[in-house]
Amino acid sequence: MKTTSEAKDLSHGWENKTAVNIPTDSLLTRGSTYLPVYSEIYQQSKNFTFNLTATVSIRNISLKDTLYIYKADYYNTYGERIRQYLNGPVYVMPMETIEIVVDEDDEDGGTGANFLFDWSTRKGTVEPFFEAVMISTAGQQGLSFTTQGIRKK
């Protein structure tokens, strides 16, 4: 498993977004969101795969409240955690989007890759929106599709 310090450029500009002075738990709603992504998909048969670039968007859709992200972990097809993107909590300002990009040549996740995010926001605030866009172009062929996160209960 690669940790944040071992994997190349996992910060995605988040190093200046370290959360301090997080409100007390009594003021927060905590949640966990599952997001499926595909770093590769099958093409023609189970013996041939097509690599994809995945852009993961973490969107704070509140107009006034800050979102806090505590965990952004990447799992492969077999359910093994292969990457941790955070060393500590980060904040996402109202209407701000932060992203993770899984490069097209990164096949670590496989055909059944997924992310798990732990987050919190002020009670009564809309929940964050998690979405992934997968894309690839090769020669004259182009392919793109999206997935959306679901809150774990």
Side-chain angles (χ1 to χ4, degrees):
M1 170 182 35
K2 296 177 186 175
T3 64
T4 303
S5 60
E6 295 169 328
K8 70 174 193 176
D9 191 28
L10 296 182
S11 67
H12 301 287
W14 297 0
E15 62 275 0
N16 295 326
K17 300 196 77 51
T18 300
V20 293
N21 300 324
I22 298 173
T24 62
D25 279 347
S26 65
L27 298 174
L28 297 175
T29 296
R30 289 186 171 265
S32 186
T33 298
Y34 166 83
L35 177 68
V37 297
Y38 300 85
S39 61
E40 57 184 328
I41 57 173
Y42 295 109
Q43 179 179 321
Q44 298 175 352
S45 74
K46 67 177 183 174
N47 299 320
F48 185 70
T49 57
F50 192 79
N51 290 356
L52 303 167
T53 301
T55 302
V56 174
S57 290
I58 302 162
R59 298 173 181 261
N60 181 357
I61 61 175
S62 171
L63 289 170
K64 62 180 183 166
D65 291 313
T66 300
L67 165 67
Y68 301 97
I69 305 292
Y70 301 93
K71 177 170 74 172
D73 290 352
Y74 186 42
Y75 293 81
N76 68 15
T77 301
Y78 306 102
E80 302 162 333
R81 186 176 65 189
I82 56 174
R83 222 168 276 143
Q84 295 174 277
Y85 282 86
L86 299 179
N87 287 325
V90 298
Y91 66 89
V92 185
M93 296 300 292
M95 298 305 294
E96 183 179 19
T97 300
I98 58 177
E99 298 172 331
I100 296 170
V101 176
V102 179
D103 295 340
E104 185 172 337
D105 62 353
D106 181 346
E107 298 176 351
D108 291 345
T111 57
N114 48 82
F115 278 86
L116 189 58
F117 299 96
D118 286 347
W119 52 267
S120 71
T121 191
R122 286 201 182 269
K123 287 184 178 177
T125 299
V126 294
E127 294 186 1
F129 183 67
F130 296 86
E131 183 175 46
V133 178
M134 280 65 59
I135 186 168
S136 186
T137 56
Q140 295 180 355
Q141 182 176 6
L143 175 67
S144 65
F145 58 97
T146 64
T147 60
Q148 294 181 354
I150 58 170
R151 183 167 182 183
K152 291 182 64 181
K153 300 285 179 180

